[in-house]
Amino acid sequence: MCVTTRQLDFDACYLAVSARDSRFDGRFYTAVTTTGIYCRPICPARTPARSNVRFYRHAAAAEAAGFRPCRRCRPELSPGDPGWDVRADLVGRALRLIDDGVADDSGIAGLARRLHVTERHLHRLFAAELGTGPLAVARTRRLLLAKQLLTETTLPITDVAFAAGFGSVRQFNAAMRESYGFAPGDLRRAGGPMRGAHGPAAVTTGLTLRLGHREPYDARAMLRFLAARAIPSVEAVRRSGDDVTAYTRAVPGGSITLRPAAGHIRLTVRTTGTHRLSRLVARCRRLLDLDADPGAVREALGATSLAPLVAARPGLRVPGAYDGFELAVRAVVGQQISVAGARTLLGRIVARAGLPAVPGLSGVPGLPGANPDEEAASGEVPTLFPTADLLATADLDGLGLTTRRVATIRALAEAVASGGIDLDGARDPADTVAGLLEIPGIGPWTAGYIALRALRDPDAWPEGDLVLRRTMERLGVVPGETERWRPWRAYAALHLWKHASDTSEGRDES
């Protein structure tokens, strides 16, 4: 393994680059001193001489050292480093919040406050782990998203600036010139948008971006999982026979649609503004578990009694959550009832307390010439799931929920609204689980399920799950073997649930 906790093994990294080993895509970047360019390990360009190569753990570190992103392999399309989810340390949580736009909205000072540390301490940790500070990481994230927008769409440059998270067009132009040596317009004139990109009206009618992932990726299983749990008016799917071909959900200002494509996921955004685009991209990646490392999961679980399940579905991923609070309410509502029953109750909650995605509109404007399936799904998701503030005071009587369940939802909403519980990844998962367990009505299964999907803890385990227990018994899994599945127990749970569903030995969990 060329990536260690704090440093890179030069020989191992150079071997990975020479072999163009896709397992390391997103784990490190290769900078070439003779060209001033940094690349992904899979770049098709000729392998540079060892003496001309430098390796960096993060694209921001390469850019801070004066290197520019390769236009051929496009580092902006790299999947994220899955190691941060495994470690779940402060730097990993900070990277998640940066991806979610916290640094853009509140600056590094606000980021440090969310993490309950000083700016100085945060910078020291980033410098030790990544070789550069959080400000540089946030800046690089904005620049790479802007580069992708300039390359793949014809969105006006002014809109690109704000969509990527810059505070002004002047700031955007200055950052591009300083880091890349050219203005935004120069990049567009040199390469132009890719075919199929949408035009300037994309602010309200739709723009499409590519979301990369590591292979193999079982998109079919992921979309079927989400389809079975789609909340009416918030989520919708398109089908072709037994397959789910697209997933759409409401977001502030409109909707997003996710559709599998060759080697990537196609994200189509239809909103009344693009200033939340970086946050949308980050949350879609977490929802679909696009940064996972299937090779590492296969290596660990393939040496256990789960080997046949892993071999049958090597690309199975853990479905995440677009919104942590929404997922937590879903877990509470789904306790001890069927998936279909939970969907019905969640739909009633949305009808009672949800807000329109586009105020004053029942749907989202369509894009002329766009896929009719995506257009239809977009119009079926006019409502946002209620926020914690709304549910804390909402009247949930008469919806079919028990008195105890209503009390649990209200207590959860109050804890999230007050900041006592953070489901966006700012706190250590173990601390968040401990806080959830203090809420009456939330037990180990519910807390574990929330950790598995909302907190992105790859080692989360829904303790006491009946389907898991029965499936393990049928497969002859001996007590205590779950310890051998660390740190990938969440993936083990998905394989067991999927096996139970495929063999009609159980039901999918909520």
Side-chain angles (χ1 to χ4, degrees):
M1 175 64 69
C2 75
V3 183
T4 59
T5 301
R6 292 178 180 270
Q7 60 186 3
L8 299 172
D9 183 310
F10 185 95
D11 292 335
C13 287
Y14 191 79
L15 182 62
V17 170
S18 300
R20 294 173 176 80
D21 194 331
S22 61
R23 294 177 300 170
F24 297 97
D25 190 16
R27 288 183 173 274
F28 71 89
Y29 296 87
T30 306
V32 185
T33 58
T34 53
T35 63
I37 299 296
Y38 74 91
C39 304
R40 300 160 66 181
I42 62 171
C43 186
R46 186 180 66 180
T47 303
R50 291 173 61 94
S51 59
N52 297 332
V53 168
R54 304 289 184 271
F55 294 114
Y56 296 94
R57 284 205 61 185
H58 198 281
E63 293 194 6
F67 295 94
R68 304 185 306 278
C70 176
R71 295 192 188 186
R72 190 170 180 182
C73 66
R74 300 182 62 197
E76 67 269 21
L77 298 181
S78 294
D81 186 344
W84 297 114
D85 280 340
V86 177
R87 291 171 54 181
D89 59 6
L90 193 142
V91 173
R93 300 197 301 275
L95 288 171
R96 174 170 172 170
L97 293 179
I98 288 174
D99 286 341
D100 216 33
V102 172
D104 296 339
D105 296 338
S106 306
I108 302 305
L111 174 65
R113 284 194 298 272
R114 282 287 302 275
L115 296 165
H116 304 289
V117 297
T118 64
E119 288 185 67
R120 182 178 180 182
H121 181 59
L122 184 62
H123 188 278
R124 184 166 55 245
L125 290 176
F126 265 68
E129 294 285 353
L130 301 177
T132 192
L135 184 62
V137 170
R139 173 189 168 105
T140 295
R141 181 191 61 78
R142 291 193 293 266
L143 284 169
L144 290 177
L145 177 56
K147 182 174 178 291
Q148 184 177 7
L149 289 169
L150 290 169
T151 304
E152 297 185 8
T153 78
T154 54
L155 195 66
I157 290 177
T158 298
D159 292 329
V160 169
F162 293 113
F166 288 94
S168 68
V169 177
R170 177 179 295 180
Q171 182 189 55
F172 175 42
N173 287 329
M176 288 286 288
R177 288 185 179 280
E178 179 182 350
S179 297
Y180 297 165
F182 50 76
D186 297 336
L187 177 62
R188 179 158 283 172
R189 283 190 292 271
M194 297 174 60
R195 291 183 179 180
H198 299 311
V203 174
T204 55
T205 57
L207 62 85
T208 298
L209 292 175
R210 296 168 59 189
L211 304 183
H213 57 69
R214 295 177 180 85
E215 296 288 359
Y217 184 80
D218 194 341
R220 182 172 184 266
M222 174 64 73
L223 292 186
R224 291 185 69 176
F225 185 99
L226 297 176
R229 295 154 182 80
I231 302 174
S233 296
V234 176
E235 301 169 293
V237 297
R238 297 288 91 190
R239 298 180 183 272
S240 176
D242 293 334
D243 286 338
V244 180
T245 59
Y247 164 86
T248 298
R249 71 165 290 126
V251 298
S255 70
I256 57 168
T257 296
L258 295 160
R259 179 183 291 272
H264 65 277
I265 298 295
R266 191 177 75 188
L267 165 64
T268 300
V269 181
R270 291 181 176 82
T271 63
T272 54
T274 56
H275 64 287
R276 295 179 180 271
L277 188 58
S278 59
R279 184 170 302 167
L280 293 178
V281 170
R283 294 193 173 198
C284 288
R285 295 196 66 84
R286 291 199 294 269
L287 173 67
L288 301 185
D289 197 15
L290 297 182
D291 294 331
D293 182 354
V297 176
R298 183 172 61 250
E299 182 178 352
L301 300 184
T304 71
S305 59
L306 297 182
L309 276 62
V310 176
R313 291 189 175 276
L316 194 65
R317 303 295 175 92
V318 175
Y322 184 85
D323 179 81
F325 175 68
E326 175 187 312
L327 189 281
V329 174
R330 183 193 299 266
V332 171
V333 171
Q335 293 171 353
Q336 300 178 335
I337 63 173
S338 68
V339 170
R343 283 187 62 199
T344 298
L345 293 176
L346 289 164
R348 292 172 183 171
I349 291 174
V350 169
R352 177 72 60 86
L355 293 175
V358 183
L361 296 178
S362 59
V364 183
L367 177 68
N371 187 295
D373 284 347
E374 293 184 2
E375 287 300 320
S378 181
E380 295 168 10
V381 291
T383 312
L384 299 173
F385 193 84
T387 63
D389 289 331
L390 286 174
L391 272 193
T393 57
D395 177 13
L396 301 180
D397 292 337
L399 300 182
L401 296 163
T402 64
T403 302
R404 181 181 179 185
R405 197 76 77 235
V406 170
T408 299
I409 293 173
R410 184 162 288 122
L412 172 66
E414 290 173 350
V416 172
S418 66
I421 290 180
D422 191 319
L423 297 173
D424 291 328
R427 296 182 62 186
D428 184 281
D431 294 338
T432 302
V433 168
L436 288 168
L437 290 173
E438 294 178 359
I439 297 177
I442 293 184
W445 180 89
T446 304
Y449 188 78
I450 294 171
L452 183 147
R453 293 194 59 190
L455 304 183
R456 305 300 307 141
D457 180 0
D459 199 39
W461 181 256
E463 195 68 43
D465 186 275
L466 182 61
V467 174
L468 292 180
R469 187 171 72 245
R470 289 177 175 174
T471 306
M472 289 166 62
E473 290 173 354
R474 291 188 178 95
L475 293 174
V477 177
V478 299
E481 187 175 356
T482 56
E483 292 301 310
R484 294 184 58 197
W485 301 341
R486 292 183 182 273
W488 307 110
R489 292 189 301 171
Y491 292 86
L494 259 294
H495 277 288
L496 291 167
W497 279 334
K498 185 61 178 172
H499 178 75
S501 175
D502 289 346
T503 57
S504 300
E505 294 175 357
R507 63 173 179 83
D508 287 339
E509 290 303 302
S510 295

